[in-house]
Amino acid sequence: MNFSAALPTFVITLREGVEAALVVGIVLALLKKAKQSKLNSWVYAGVGVGIAASALVGLLFSAIIQAVGSINPEYTPVVEPLMEGVFSVIAIAMLSWMLIWMTRQARFLKAEVEGTVTAALKQNNGAGWGVFSLIFIAVLREGFETVLFIAANFQQGFFPAIGAIGGLVSAIAIGFLLFKWGVKINIRLFFQIMGVLLLLIVAGLVVSALAHFDTAIATLAKLNRQSESLCFYYERFTRNPSCILGPRVWNTSKILPDEQFPGVILKALFGYRDDLFLVQAISYVAFLVTVGGIYFRSLGMGVSKPKSESATTHQSISSGSKET
């Protein structure tokens, strides 16, 4: 049983879940301060419906994959890796964008949530729906990213889903530590560490996506002679098992296989592959240089005022713990 498949989704769900937990905690603290605790039920409803909606999106993706695969059973070996590759590309785009966007917006999170809640409370009849919408969108946004990642790895069975559940439970526990029991945690450091791990996981997803496309095209070339030209590299270098990925960079399957410990951990968290090809290696490095560079520059945007931001973070945490 490959429990390592649960590690990436655990990290992703933990990070995204803590972001949602911060929003929930801040909202509950603000409602308590405004003596509007009667609206807490709308907060919990938003969390529940957001999680349920994320699960439904996951089921929808699974249904789409099965429906497409059943159109022509002969081409199922082509459709499955192709769909994995497509979902991988979508997940890469979404996770990368959210990583950078949330890093840039983190310093304004508390102010934005306060403004939204204050505006909702001014609407006597629609205050509950305003709070519900804020929480629902926050939870659904984070859940959608996890669902995309799971969909991109659907052949790994239920283990990615187990990792997502573990990450969700851990995120809820951290939320209680922060806002219920007043435990001080360096949120900035937590998100920086999780951000780097997420960056490496998504870089590994780039390698996997290319492998899925290579498998799909190679299988199609075998099934349909008219598609043989798509597998251009294999036709020129028949000794190399790559179809579109170029020459092999290394094959360390006998030294450090990626299906056994510790290679399986390196594969899950850092994108290691025991059989790597040139296009994969270039794409991996290019992703880290471009997206990683943007991410680390985003971290540097708040370096000039670390004390004030740290004080704001601790103030929101302490206010949440005292008022609850």
Side-chain angles (χ1 to χ4, degrees):
M1 291 187 295
N2 187 13
F3 286 101
S4 63
L7 289 176
T9 48
F10 174 81
V11 172
I12 291 173
T13 309
L14 177 61
R15 186 187 186 281
E16 309 303 332
V18 169
E19 288 180 0
L22 288 177
V23 175
V24 172
I26 292 172
V27 171
L28 289 174
L30 291 173
L31 293 178
K32 184 69 175 181
K33 184 177 181 180
K35 297 181 180 181
Q36 295 290 331
S37 296
K38 61 183 180 180
L39 296 176
N40 286 359
S41 59
W42 289 92
V43 175
Y44 302 135
V47 173
V49 176
I51 294 175
S54 299
L56 288 175
V57 171
L59 293 175
L60 178 61
F61 283 157
S62 299
I64 292 174
I65 293 171
Q66 293 178 358
V68 173
S70 63
I71 294 176
N72 191 337
E74 180 184 359
Y75 286 95
T76 297
V78 177
V79 172
E80 286 189 351
L82 182 61
M83 293 296 291
E84 280 187 293
V86 171
F87 280 120
S88 294
V89 171
I90 298 174
I92 290 166
M94 287 293 298
L95 289 169
S96 301
W97 179 75
M98 287 303 300
L99 174 64
I100 296 170
W101 183 81
M102 282 304 299
T103 301
R104 291 177 173 177
Q105 297 297 318
R107 63 185 60 87
F108 309 115
L109 177 63
K110 185 171 183 289
E112 290 181 355
V113 173
E114 286 180 343
T116 303
V117 173
T118 300
L121 292 178
K122 291 180 179 179
Q123 302 175 3
N124 296 328
N125 297 328
W129 283 109
V131 171
F132 172 85
S133 300
L134 172 64
I135 299 299
F136 171 75
I137 293 174
V139 173
L140 180 61
R141 181 181 62 201
E142 313 304 345
F144 181 71
E145 297 169 23
T146 305
V147 166
L148 274 178
F149 187 86
I150 293 175
N153 296 275
F154 66 89
Q155 284 189 343
Q156 298 185 39
F158 291 102
F159 291 111
I162 293 174
I165 294 172
L168 179 62
V169 172
S170 300
I172 293 173
I174 291 175
F176 270 97
L177 287 174
L178 291 174
F179 293 97
K180 190 68 176 179
W181 295 305
V183 177
K184 291 185 178 181
I185 298 176
N186 191 329
I187 296 297
R188 175 190 292 274
L189 180 61
F190 171 84
F191 279 118
Q192 287 179 353
I193 294 174
M194 289 293 103
V196 172
L197 279 176
L198 181 59
L199 189 66
L200 292 171
I201 289 172
V202 177
L205 195 59
V206 172
V207 176
S208 297
L210 291 170
H212 293 320
F213 287 127
D214 185 73
T215 300
I217 294 175
T219 305
L220 180 63
K222 292 178 182 179
L223 294 175
N224 189 344
R225 291 185 177 181
Q226 295 179 352
S227 303
E228 289 181 353
S229 59
L230 295 175
C231 199
F232 59 88
Y233 192 81
Y234 184 78
E235 287 295 320
R236 295 183 180 181
F237 305 93
T238 55
R239 293 183 180 181
N240 195 34
S242 165
C243 183
I244 60 172
L245 299 179
R248 175 181 273 137
V249 176
W250 69 56
N251 187 344
T252 55
S253 57
K254 295 183 179 180
I255 302 173
L256 188 63
D258 59 19
E259 297 298 331
Q260 299 177 13
F261 183 85
V264 68
I265 304 298
L266 297 176
K267 178 181 179 180
L269 293 179
F270 306 113
Y272 166 76
R273 296 295 186 277
D274 59 15
D275 197 16
L276 189 72
F277 297 91
L278 183 60
V279 174
Q280 291 175 307
I282 293 175
S283 300
Y284 184 89
V285 174
F287 177 85
L288 289 180
V289 171
T290 55
V291 178
I294 297 173
Y295 170 67
F296 284 109
R297 284 196 296 272
S298 299
L299 290 178
M301 291 175 62
V303 172
S304 60
K305 297 181 181 180
K307 293 184 179 180
S308 61
E309 292 178 8
S310 178
T312 301
T313 302
H314 286 298
Q315 182 181 2
S316 64
I317 295 172
S318 61
S319 62
S321 61
K322 290 179 182 178
E323 292 163 5
T324 54

